[in-house]
Amino acid sequence: MRILLLSQFYPPVIGGEERHVRNLGRALAQRGHSVSVGTFMHPGSPETEFDGAVRVRRLRGTVQRLSNLHADSERRHAPPFPDPGLLLALKRLVAEERPDIVHAHNWIYASFLPLRLLGGAPLVVTLHDYGLVCARKNFMHLGTHLCDGPRLAKCLPCATAHYGAVKATATTLGNWASSFVARRVVDRFIAVSHAVARHTGLTGGRTPYEVIPNFVPDDVGVLGSEDPCLRELPKNGFILFVGDMMRLKGIDVLLKAYARLERAPPLILIGRRVADTPTAFPPNVRVFNNWPHSAIMHAWHRSLFGVLPSVGPEACATVIMEAMASGKAVVATDVGGMPDLVDHGETGLLVPPGDPQALARAMQSLLDDRTLLAHLESKSLARVGRLKAGAVVTRIEQVYRDVLRPAASRVEPPAKQCSGEPSC
């Protein structure tokens, strides 16, 4: 198949979603598919380059050029409505790449919708968050509690608190319009967890969808050379948190829970500092920023166990998969996509979100009961196979085939359409 992946960001801009798209492209190419990626232009990167066997095409959009609209110049997000410049760029890209299928990630899909309406290639959209119904994408009302569902009178004030009135109105109304069209035009949605499918209204609706988690590469547990930054880790075991150090990720809850522990080993935090990152940390808590992914994998191997105490409904936390692939248990919150990944009492422990006392009890139980910890570790390593590329990419390929099968039955015989080109 000729597959075009659309992602608003791609390395060197890196995050969980970008790493997923890169890993997916590489895995599909290894299986013999012709894979290209359409992504936003990044300063210092060429318009066209190869990332292994994957051709990367960098595009410019109208909204992307308006720097004053973006809080982070490194991450100029795609709008949730068709961007005129991006639409034209995608039209040219599709004409050149001639994909059999387009697989979009995040709001960049909105700029492809007009092309799909005009008979473009079948469109698959992976929902890595709640952006189909939530202008803030996190399904947290006013950033404080789980939303009970979209309503315009509620969504506009919530978005305004985050974006400001003008951007909030454009984002919310544009997202509602694109979502309405997408539910009728997208050939298949892929929700990365049952929580995403449920909260975006796919469950029980008529829109075709599959629940397929993110994945980690098959060789994710194979460690490379050690980075010098690893010398900063404690010699003995430690508790590990990896992610943005923000309230939504439960960083405040974690620090309160850690203060309750008896005979606590060091707590290591690796991730980005953001606007609401605490400015001070308790003794025995060490904070590291901007570590390379290879170093983080070494840190997982050296840790006692991981903790991910998010108060918001994480869609599908890749860090949990990386911990499992390293043979580590995780204490996580029973919210969002966490229960899809963590089997309570088997591969980790689940606790209520926002409850430092419950989190402390779960962490203390793993510190005190090493037999339980060893059981969770062995089960994690045994079950992570279902979250590796070999298992998950096969399911994504089947989605492509299912989508293409009815599309093929609608076209005329090839002899009537052939243009005489070798690939025809």
Side-chain angles (χ1 to χ4, degrees):
M1 281 180 276
R2 297 180 64 86
I3 302 164
L4 173 60
L5 303 177
L6 299 181
S7 174
Q8 57 183 352
F9 306 123
Y10 193 81
V13 178
I14 197 67
E17 185 177 314
E18 293 77 38
R19 186 171 289 114
H20 171 83
V21 174
R22 183 185 219 177
N23 290 339
L24 176 59
R26 289 177 169 180
L28 290 169
Q30 289 173 357
R31 292 169 178 238
H33 303 290
S34 175
V35 183
S36 55
V37 174
T39 186
F40 278 144
M41 177 60 68
H42 181 74
S45 297
E47 289 190 8
T48 301
E49 65 178 330
F50 277 89
D51 184 11
V54 177
R55 180 164 46 244
V56 180
R57 306 289 300 274
R58 301 189 185 276
L59 315 171
R60 289 182 173 87
T62 303
V63 173
Q64 188 198 23
R65 298 173 191 267
L66 304 175
S67 59
N68 59 324
L69 293 180
H70 305 273
D72 186 347
S73 60
E74 291 290 307
R75 289 176 171 266
R76 299 185 179 184
H77 295 264
F81 48 81
D83 177 299
L86 182 56
L87 172 57
L88 291 175
L90 287 173
K91 183 179 180 180
R92 290 192 295 268
L93 179 61
V94 168
E96 294 170 7
E97 296 292 335
R98 294 178 300 157
D100 298 310
I101 198 155
V102 175
H103 185 173
H105 303 258
N106 218 303
W107 277 345
I108 197 171
Y109 83 86
S111 292
F112 186 80
L113 288 179
L115 300 179
R116 182 67 187 108
L117 281 166
L118 294 173
L123 176 61
V124 173
V125 174
T126 289
L127 302 176
H128 293 275
D129 52 38
Y130 306 93
L132 192 66
V133 296
C134 177
R136 296 181 63 169
K137 299 185 179 182
N138 58 22
F139 211 68
M140 292 288 285
H141 185 54
L142 297 174
T144 60
H145 57 276
L146 188 68
C147 183
D148 62 1
R151 292 188 298 275
L152 191 59
K154 185 178 67 173
C155 293
L156 276 174
C158 181
T160 298
H162 181 68
Y163 295 113
V166 176
K167 286 174 62 177
T169 301
T171 301
T172 302
L173 297 181
N175 194 35
W176 280 50
S178 292
S179 176
F180 177 84
V181 175
R183 292 174 192 273
R184 290 152 179 80
V185 172
V186 171
D187 294 271
R188 190 73 55 89
F189 281 105
I190 295 176
V192 297
S193 65
H194 288 88
V196 169
R198 183 171 63 255
H199 292 320
T200 56
L202 295 178
T203 303
R206 296 183 179 181
T207 305
Y209 76 97
E210 304 275 351
V211 175
I212 302 177
N214 294 332
F215 65 90
V216 289
D218 291 328
D219 62 352
V220 65
V222 179
L223 299 179
S225 58
E226 293 195 2
D227 191 279
C229 64
L230 291 166
R231 298 171 189 160
E232 301 182 66
L233 289 177
K235 298 278 184 195
N236 299 318
F238 49 85
I239 301 169
L240 180 59
F241 167 93
V242 175
D244 290 345
M245 288 174 274
M246 59 194 305
R247 287 190 176 90
L248 196 63
K249 296 280 188 180
I251 192 70
D252 293 343
V253 178
L254 173 58
L255 295 179
K256 291 176 183 177
Y258 181 72
R260 294 171 177 260
L261 297 180
E262 299 176 1
R263 302 175 303 280
L267 172 63
I268 303 300
L269 311 177
I270 305 177
R272 280 195 315 160
R273 290 178 181 266
V274 294
D276 61 357
T277 298
T279 56
F281 296 89
N284 223 22
V285 176
R286 303 183 67 179
V287 181
F288 303 106
N289 310 115
N290 302 318
W291 274 26
H293 184 255
S294 59
I296 292 174
M297 292 308 300
H298 275 278
W300 277 122
H301 277 265
R302 297 185 186 186
S303 68
L304 285 173
F305 58 86
V307 59
L308 190 59
S310 298
V311 296
E314 292 264 359
C316 185
T318 304
V319 292
I320 290 180
M321 304 179 200
E322 292 175 344
M324 293 175 66
S326 304
K328 301 300 175 180
V330 175
V331 180
T333 41
D334 190 8
V335 66
M338 308 286 205
D340 285 12
L341 303 176
V342 178
D343 298 318
H344 180 68
E346 289 294 313
T347 63
L349 300 176
L350 294 172
V351 299
D355 188 338
Q357 187 173 353
L359 179 61
R361 284 198 302 267
M363 295 165 67
Q364 191 71 58
S365 69
L366 297 186
L367 294 174
D368 295 342
D369 189 344
R370 295 306 172 95
T371 301
L372 171 61
L373 181 59
H375 170 78
L376 299 179
E377 290 173 340
S378 64
K379 290 292 186 179
S380 291
L381 200 55
R383 295 188 185 181
V384 75
R386 64 186 180 182
L387 300 170
K388 288 187 174 182
V392 177
V393 176
T394 298
R395 297 176 61 188
I396 295 174
E397 283 182 305
Q398 188 58 52
V399 169
Y400 296 164
R401 295 189 187 99
D402 291 345
V403 167
L404 287 171
R405 190 172 296 121
S409 67
R410 290 194 298 267
V411 301
E412 296 180 25
K416 295 183 180 180
Q417 295 187 1
C418 186
S419 62
E421 296 179 5
S423 61
C424 186

